[in-house]
């Protein structure tokens, strides 16, 4: 068993999958809500929302699976900054699915 840690400002995390290389994905609370993470022994826990290629307004909240190629299946939501007009309040939209593929960038 290994302690994975939590994201800054959080108080809990949960692992949802591990691949053949020992890379773990899951969800952690953070100072700005639930965020998807990837954990490697060399780097520790990293917030998947810190990826430069992430589209503006998308918040990844859970990473559900990772394969041996390092591709991650993550769930996310659109972040509207909590600014819904008073007369347009509705039920939350269903989560969005994303396939994150690793790059060989330096």
């Amino acid at each position: 068993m290994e302690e994975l840690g939590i994201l800054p400002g959080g108080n809990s995390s949960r692992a949802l999958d591990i691949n053949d290389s020992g890379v773990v994905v899951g969800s952690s609370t953070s100072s700005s809500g639930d965020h998807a993470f990837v954990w490697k022994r060399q780097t520790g826990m990293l917030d998947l929302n810190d990826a430069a290629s992430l589209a503006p307004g998308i918040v990844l909240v859970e990473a559900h699976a990772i394969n041996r190629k390092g591709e991650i299946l993550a769930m996310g939501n659109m972040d509207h900054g909590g600014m819904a007009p008073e007369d347009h309040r509705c039920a939350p939209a269903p989560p969005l699915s994303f396939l994150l593929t690793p790059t060989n960038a330096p």
Side-chain angles (χ1 to χ4, degrees), residues 37-83:
F37 73 81
V38 61
W39 178 94
K40 297 179 185 177
R41 187 176 306 278
Q42 309 90 305
T43 60
M45 186 178 288
L46 300 174
D47 188 337
L48 287 174
N49 290 284
D50 291 343
S53 61
L54 199 58
I58 300 292
V59 177
L60 300 175
V61 295
E62 289 185 342
H64 286 271
I66 184 167
N67 64 19
R68 65 176 49 152
K69 293 191 282 185
E71 297 169 327
I72 299 170
L73 176 63
M75 302 298 284
N77 295 310
M78 292 294 296
D79 178 19
H80 300 290
M83 303 284 240

Side-chain angles (χ1 to χ4, degrees), residues 14-55:
R14 62 187 178 130
L16 296 172
D17 198 20
I18 185 170
N19 71 5
D20 296 342
S21 300
V23 179
V24 178
V25 295
S27 181
S28 175
T29 57
S30 74
S31 57
S32 58
D34 290 344
H35 280 201
F37 73 81
V38 61
W39 178 94
K40 297 179 185 177
R41 187 176 306 278
Q42 309 90 305
T43 60
M45 186 178 288
L46 300 174
D47 188 337
L48 287 174
N49 290 284
D50 291 343
S53 61
L54 199 58

Side-chain angles (χ1 to χ4, degrees), residues 71-102:
E71 297 169 327
I72 299 170
L73 176 63
M75 302 298 284
N77 295 310
M78 292 294 296
D79 178 19
H80 300 290
M83 303 284 240
E86 211 46 50
D87 59 343
H88 287 94
R89 294 188 190 248
C90 59
L96 306 169
S97 297
F98 299 90
L99 178 63
L100 309 175
T101 55

